[in-house]
Amino acid sequence: MKVLLVNGSPHAQGCTYTALCEVANELEQNGIETEIVQTGTKPVQDCIACGGCKDKGCCVFEDGVNEFLEKAAQADGFVFGTPVYYAHPSGRLLSFLDRAFYAGGRRVFEGKPGAAVASARRGGTTATLDAVNKYFSFAGMPMAGSTYWNMVHGTAAEQVAQDEEGLQTMRNLGRNLAWMVKAFAVAREQGIKPPVPETTLKTNFVR
């Protein structure tokens, strides 16, 4: 069993990474393998709605999203972490998720638990979490919660390390996510599969 944690910050070992490490450590202690995926500092191509992924089965652009999708297909859960930029996730994470979820869709993500983590100096966290959580809803993914909103505060990793409440929230998130991953694994062993959605209907009132 494995959980992928995506760092949507350009800082490889900054505030968001510190929060994700706290979640990852708790997952590892509960017997779940983890891997932190860095989105890095290179440009992340935005989705251009070309529809090419429907034919290829992957995104037409090669900048790490397809590599992530290959790993995601085998993963059992996800945590997407992001700094807060003007009360929303980082642009790089949004571009990454737009393409990953559009190209991977329910084929890759359905029935697997996910969680969002936000890092901020002070405000904008709940709006940021709300934006990321919407990806889970569209892909049929149960959301893992904690004992407070999944956020940490600080302008540097050293400050996040002092946010005792935030780190506790991350640890509780890790425990809850580990429990969900294990519970879903048992369900699969018992032949209990995710519910099959109805055929998609699109009601378009504008002619």
Side-chain angles (χ1 to χ4, degrees):
M1 291 175 283
K2 184 174 183 178
V3 168
L4 296 179
L5 302 95
V6 177
N7 182 6
S9 170
H11 301 292
Q13 296 184 329
C15 299
T16 305
Y17 174 80
T18 302
L20 292 177
C21 283
E22 198 74 9
V23 180
N25 289 339
E26 198 63 39
L27 285 164
E28 294 277 356
Q29 290 183 30
N30 281 271
I32 307 297
E33 182 184 354
T34 65
E35 178 183 348
I36 295 180
V37 177
Q38 304 283 359
T39 56
T41 57
K42 294 181 180 179
V44 177
Q45 170 68 48
D46 193 14
C47 177
I48 61 172
C50 68
C53 57
K54 294 181 180 179
D55 298 322
K56 294 187 60 176
C58 61
C59 186
V60 298
F61 298 111
E62 293 290 347
D63 58 5
V65 170
N66 286 335
E67 181 181 350
F68 166 75
L69 285 175
E70 290 180 5
K71 296 178 179 180
Q74 305 302 318
D76 301 288
F78 305 90
V79 181
F80 299 112
T82 178
V84 173
Y85 288 3
Y86 294 95
H88 63 73
S90 68
R92 68 186 311 98
L93 182 67
L94 289 177
S95 293
F96 187 95
L97 294 181
D98 280 350
R99 288 170 49 216
F101 274 79
Y102 199 69
R106 299 174 88 80
R107 171 181 61 85
V108 171
F109 297 104
E110 184 177 35
K112 300 176 181 180
V117 167
S119 169
R121 182 191 70 83
R122 188 173 180 86
T125 47
T126 54
T128 297
L129 292 172
D130 181 61
V132 179
N133 285 339
K134 286 184 170 64
Y135 290 92
F136 307 140
S137 297
F138 274 85
M141 299 172 64
M143 285 179 268
S146 184
T147 45
Y148 196 69
W149 288 282
N150 300 336
M151 62 180 72
V152 295
H153 291 87
T155 56
E158 296 77 14
Q159 294 178 352
V160 171
Q162 299 175 45
D163 181 8
E164 295 182 6
E165 183 179 2
L167 294 180
Q168 182 184 65
T169 301
M170 296 301 107
R171 292 193 296 273
N172 287 330
L173 171 60
R175 293 189 190 99
N176 288 343
L177 186 54
W179 175 77
M180 292 177 72
V181 168
K182 292 177 180 178
F184 289 4
V186 171
R188 289 193 298 271
E189 291 172 0
Q190 296 296 318
I192 303 173
K193 300 179 181 180
V196 179
E198 296 181 7
T199 302
T200 301
L201 297 175
K202 294 185 178 179
T203 305
N204 301 313
F205 294 100
V206 179
R207 294 289 187 262

